[in-house]
Amino acid sequence: LYISIGLIHWFLVRYSIKSQKNFPWSSKYLTFIFYATFGAVVSSSVEVGGVLLVFAILIVPSLCATLVKESFKDRLVFGWIFSVIVCSIGILCSYQQDLPTGATIVLAFGVSLVGVHAIRKFIFWQQD
């Protein structure tokens, strides 16, 4: 499911970028397709991982990236790297302490969000 939706998005973005004609309906349909496929991904992910895990993985990396990076590309790369590191830490802690994996990953994201926010506040506090 995820690969097929990823390919749909990739082809649609390439088509919309390569298309020299600016159809007035294209952005409406692309937006609809994005949200429809996004809903399918979220719905299927919630069944597998749970609501808290899915939304922690969706929201915390982008929020942390917004706190520390300015450009879209930097935020995207930071969010990906941040997600992989925090998920890996959560899985490792879950394995070592014999804890539920989903809840441990959510906790790792929560702690990392507080940490990023505290570090950001400390850095800006030092600059004043």
Side-chain angles (χ1 to χ4, degrees):
L1 175 70
Y2 303 116
I3 291 172
S4 62
I5 289 177
L7 288 172
I8 289 169
H9 285 226
W10 186 71
F11 283 120
L12 288 175
V13 168
R14 286 184 56 91
Y15 170 75
S16 65
I17 289 172
K18 285 186 174 183
S19 176
Q20 298 299 322
K21 300 175 184 173
N22 191 8
F23 297 111
W25 53 267
S26 66
S27 66
K28 284 193 304 187
Y29 285 119
L30 289 176
T31 303
F32 174 75
I33 291 169
F34 170 76
Y35 283 115
T37 55
F38 181 73
V41 167
V42 169
S43 298
S44 67
S45 298
V46 165
E47 281 184 39
V48 174
V51 174
L52 288 176
L53 179 62
V54 169
F55 285 98
I57 291 173
L58 271 174
I59 294 169
V60 174
S62 61
L63 181 58
C64 289
T66 303
L67 288 172
V68 299
K69 298 293 181 181
E70 294 295 323
S71 74
F72 177 76
K73 182 180 177 184
D74 290 343
R75 287 177 180 175
L76 188 63
V77 171
F78 179 87
W80 286 342
I81 293 169
F82 180 83
S83 295
V84 168
I85 291 171
V86 173
C87 279
S88 299
I89 290 170
I91 292 169
L92 182 65
C93 289
S94 169
Y95 176 75
Q96 288 179 341
Q97 300 299 318
D98 194 28
L99 297 170
T101 307
T104 308
I105 293 172
V106 170
L107 181 64
F109 272 109
V111 169
S112 65
L113 176 61
V114 171
V116 167
H117 182 67
I119 290 169
R120 182 176 181 267
K121 286 292 185 183
F122 179 75
I123 289 171
F124 284 122
W125 178 70
Q126 292 292 330
Q127 292 176 356
D128 289 340

